[in-house]
Amino acid sequence: GAGVSQSPSNKVTEKGKDVELRCDPISGHTALYWYRQSLGQGLEFLIYFQGNSAPDKSGLPSDRFSAERTGGSVSTLTIQRTQQEDSAVYLCASSQRAGTDTQYFGPGTRLTVL
Amino acid sequence: GQNIDQPTEMTATEGAIVQINCTYQTSGFNGLFWYQQHAGEAPTFLSYNVLDGLEEKGRFSSFLSRSKGYSYLLLKELQMKDSASYLCASLLGNNRLAFGKGNQVVVIP
């Protein structure tokens, strides 16, 4: 079946604007993760969803960041009032369940804030 | 905090063997993942170790020592397509992956 897909693949925005990034996980995967990869840095955990449980938001860097997952499938990461330091590749991953199940990554969205 | 250390870059010759090391100090540990990431692409899963010892999978093998907080990825019979960044990630007790910065391997003819 299809892998994890993300859209858009690239997003250029002006400082202060809001952006929405979308992730379609692998069908049947109950766990969904968002990471951020800045230049020269390792992947940084942002948030994860497991089934209908409350998401673990503890990795979100500020209250400008939020995410939701509708119907246990598609997820949207929203960044409000973007700043230049938000420029990074935002990666989404899904796994059958949270924990030791392998996380499969999407191709990412490259966000550039001017 | 979480500490995952990897060398930043190494160069190796086509056909050779290369060992990529990773040391970790994390709060909670449920296993060690290795991913391969080509430039501009998504990380792809290579291996998962939760018990001590060596796991072999074709040209790639991965080793874990929990008591030493140490893992390595062994790549044999290097090919040009193996040029990529290799990411070490510790699975924490809260189901998160904590990643190192990645080791860029450059394969030369």
Side-chain angles (χ1 to χ4, degrees), chain A residues 5-108:
Chain A
S5 60
Q6 293 187 243
S7 61
S9 54
N10 277 286
K11 177 72 178 178
V12 180
T13 190
E14 293 178 348
K15 179 181 170 181
K17 302 276 190 186
D18 297 352
V19 295
E20 283 189 354
L21 312 179
R22 178 188 166 106
C23 172
D24 277 277
I26 293 172
S27 177
H29 281 193
T30 62
L32 185 149
Y33 307 78
W34 283 98
Y35 295 88
R36 177 168 73 173
Q37 189 172 34
S38 304
L39 196 61
Q41 301 298 314
L43 274 74
E44 173 192 5
F45 167 82
L46 297 177
I47 184 172
Y48 98 88
F49 300 84
Q50 168 59 54
N52 296 320
S53 303
D56 176 353
K57 305 179 184 179
S58 53
L60 295 178
S62 79
D63 59 8
R64 296 186 295 105
F65 287 71
S66 62
E68 61 178 25
R69 189 178 184 192
T70 52
S73 181
V74 171
S75 177
T76 302
L77 177 70
T78 302
I79 310 173
Q80 295 178 307
R81 305 181 302 282
T82 52
Q83 303 294 313
Q84 287 185 330
E85 62 261 28
D86 299 335
S87 295
V89 176
Y90 289 82
L91 290 159
C92 174
S94 71
S95 63
Q96 282 202 310
R97 296 159 305 181
T100 58
D101 286 358
T102 299
Q103 294 180 30
Y104 295 92
F105 284 82

Side-chain angles (χ1 to χ4, degrees), chain B residues 44-75:
Chain B
T44 55
F45 168 75
L46 290 177
S47 67
Y48 169 64
N49 294 62
V50 66
L51 300 176
D52 285 358
L54 187 68
E55 297 267 349
E56 298 189 69
K57 195 187 294 185
R59 292 190 300 114
F60 291 9
S61 304
S62 55
F63 171 84
L64 177 67
S65 169
R66 295 177 68 130
S67 61
K68 295 181 180 175
Y70 168 68
S71 174
Y72 68 73
L73 181 70
L74 198 67
L75 284 63

Side-chain angles (χ1 to χ4, degrees), chain B residues 36-109:
Chain B
Q36 180 191 60
Q37 187 177 26
H38 287 101
E41 297 183 11
T44 55
F45 168 75
L46 290 177
S47 67
Y48 169 64
N49 294 62
V50 66
L51 300 176
D52 285 358
L54 187 68
E55 297 267 349
E56 298 189 69
K57 195 187 294 185
R59 292 190 300 114
F60 291 9
S61 304
S62 55
F63 171 84
L64 177 67
S65 169
R66 295 177 68 130
S67 61
K68 295 181 180 175
Y70 168 68
S71 174
Y72 68 73
L73 181 70
L74 198 67
L75 284 63
K76 302 174 194 171
E77 300 165 20
L78 272 181
Q79 301 176 9
M80 298 300 290
K81 67 178 182 179
D82 297 331
S83 291
S85 183
Y86 291 85
L87 313 180
C88 168
S90 170
L91 180 63
L92 308 180
N94 54 8
N95 296 326
R96 301 183 186 186
L97 281 176
F99 281 86
K101 292 185 180 180
N103 185 325
Q104 184 68 42
V105 172
V106 177
V107 182
I108 57 175

